[in-house]
Amino acid sequence: MVLKTHNVSEVIARHPDAEIIKKIIRSPLISFALDSGAWIAGGFARAVFLGKRMDQFFSRSDYNMPGDIDLFFDNQAAVDEVIEHFKSSGYISKSYGGNAIQTTCHLGQIATKHSDITSISIQVVNNPELILPIREQLDRFDFTNVCCAFRGETFLAPSNILELEANYLLDIKNSASPFLAARVRKYMRRGFVGVTEDSRQHITDWLINAVGDNFKGTAGLSGTVKDAAWCKQQIRDLLHKSTHVLRSEDLIMLIGMFKREAGYGRYGDTFVIDEALEALSVRRAAA
């Protein structure tokens, strides 16, 4: 992945919600974190770079949780300072993935006809293994599409991000997280239509680990997965709802895992359908 450097002021100035973004990054909690050396990275930085509307990013839909702001650091002292400041300002809790603490930043109503954003969720990444120089942190992200980060006047973004977005493709570059399949589904619901060819091996690698129950218990940087059933459900969601991201080899690996009963009419005999074999048959018929 090649990162290009842009000017923060120029990136924000061309955004349709520039005033909202300025108010967000000047809010007391976020400005304190930025002054302490934080980088804003991930989904919010991507939305800023691509000109995505802020009211949509921070809104809950039937399929997606509201977006949040992820803060990354390159030294432990800064992380500790920011967390202590956040504690003194209000309630904090552990993030779902286990890599961060989170809190809510209350903005008051932003004076614009385009938005009624009054509060946003902030996550301070405090996993010691993720306290790294920003380029090393971005290199560990699962999707190239979200490898955006900014602080001061420096804005980093992948050189190919506009091409990926124009083609509605996810570029997966890391399969270490047990949440990968759930995140692929999340972005498919947001309008992505597929993955790059280089991504497909990462999906296969993830499936091998998920089928082998290698994510059980504490899953390193990715938090805790309660049991194998959780990963199995993520596999089934991919099989049912995003089959097109799976290679035929992946479907062969899943033969025997998922079955359902079907019948001939209301009172006819029932039979068992192997869902992976069914997907392979549909694919071959369409070829």
Side-chain angles (χ1 to χ4, degrees):
M1 178 183 66
V2 177
L3 293 172
K4 291 186 67 175
T5 302
H6 306 264
N7 179 272
V8 168
S9 295
E10 292 176 2
V11 171
I12 293 176
R14 66 175 183 248
H15 197 288
D17 292 330
E19 292 306 312
I20 298 174
I21 295 168
K22 290 176 185 176
K23 178 160 186 175
I24 289 171
I25 63 178
R26 290 170 183 166
S27 62
L29 292 180
I30 295 176
S31 63
F32 182 89
L34 291 172
D35 289 344
S36 299
W39 286 84
I40 295 177
F44 176 72
R46 169 182 174 269
V48 172
F49 188 78
L50 296 174
K52 303 289 186 181
R53 301 310 297 247
M54 291 293 105
D55 55 349
Q56 294 176 7
F57 179 79
F58 288 114
S59 295
R60 180 190 298 270
S61 72
D62 292 339
Y63 301 105
N64 291 302
M65 297 294 288
D68 52 29
I69 294 181
D70 299 314
L71 301 173
F72 291 79
F73 297 83
D74 57 15
N75 72 88
Q76 185 67 55
V79 174
D80 295 341
E81 179 184 24
V82 169
I83 290 175
E84 285 303 312
H85 181 74
F86 281 20
K87 283 181 180 177
S88 67
S89 301
Y91 175 77
I92 67 170
S93 60
K94 193 75 171 173
S95 68
Y96 175 72
N99 291 323
I101 65 97
Q102 59 188 17
T103 190
T104 300
C105 175
H106 297 281
L107 302 171
Q109 183 149 348
I110 297 175
T112 171
K113 64 181 180 180
H114 300 298
S115 176
D116 59 359
I117 303 166
T118 58
S119 65
I120 54 177
S121 176
I122 306 172
Q123 297 205 31
V124 177
V125 177
N126 65 336
N127 184 321
E129 295 183 55
L130 289 174
I131 299 174
L132 299 164
I134 189 62
R135 290 176 181 271
E136 292 182 36
Q137 290 169 337
L138 295 177
D139 199 46
R140 302 180 81 150
F141 280 23
D142 51 4
F143 302 149
T144 299
N145 307 66
V146 296
C147 288
C148 297
F150 68 93
R151 78 175 181 192
E153 281 301 322
T154 300
F155 203 119
L156 302 175
S159 60
N160 63 338
I161 188 170
L162 296 180
E163 179 184 356
L164 291 171
E165 296 290 326
N167 291 290
Y168 302 99
L169 292 177
L170 277 179
D171 186 46
I172 304 169
K173 62 188 191 65
N174 190 323
S175 59
S177 169
F179 302 107
L180 178 64
R183 282 181 50 74
V184 169
R185 287 286 306 128
K186 169 184 172 180
Y187 279 86
M188 292 296 149
R189 291 193 298 266
R190 290 183 174 180
F192 284 83
V193 299
V195 298
T196 62
E197 282 305 310
D198 289 344
S199 299
R200 296 188 184 276
Q201 184 59 47
H202 289 296
I203 293 176
T204 300
D205 292 342
W206 183 88
L207 285 170
I208 291 169
N209 280 313
V211 170
D213 198 17
N214 295 330
F215 290 127
K216 67 181 179 181
T218 300
L221 298 178
S222 306
T224 298
V225 177
K226 293 180 180 178
D227 52 41
W230 191 91
C231 278
K232 189 173 181 179
Q233 184 57 51
Q234 306 316 304
I235 298 171
R236 194 166 202 165
D237 283 347
L238 278 183
L239 180 59
H240 285 180
K241 302 170 184 176
S242 298
T243 315
H244 61 291
V245 307
L246 300 174
R247 298 189 287 198
S248 294
E249 297 95 316
D250 300 331
L251 295 175
I252 291 170
M253 189 194 323
L254 302 181
I255 291 174
M257 281 191 69
F258 304 107
K259 298 178 181 180
R260 71 176 189 276
E261 282 194 354
Y264 297 105
R266 187 171 180 180
Y267 301 108
D269 294 336
T270 62
F271 56 93
V272 175
I273 294 175
D274 186 296
E275 295 174 359
L277 279 173
E278 180 183 42
L280 276 168
S281 297
V282 170
R283 179 170 294 181
R284 288 166 181 164

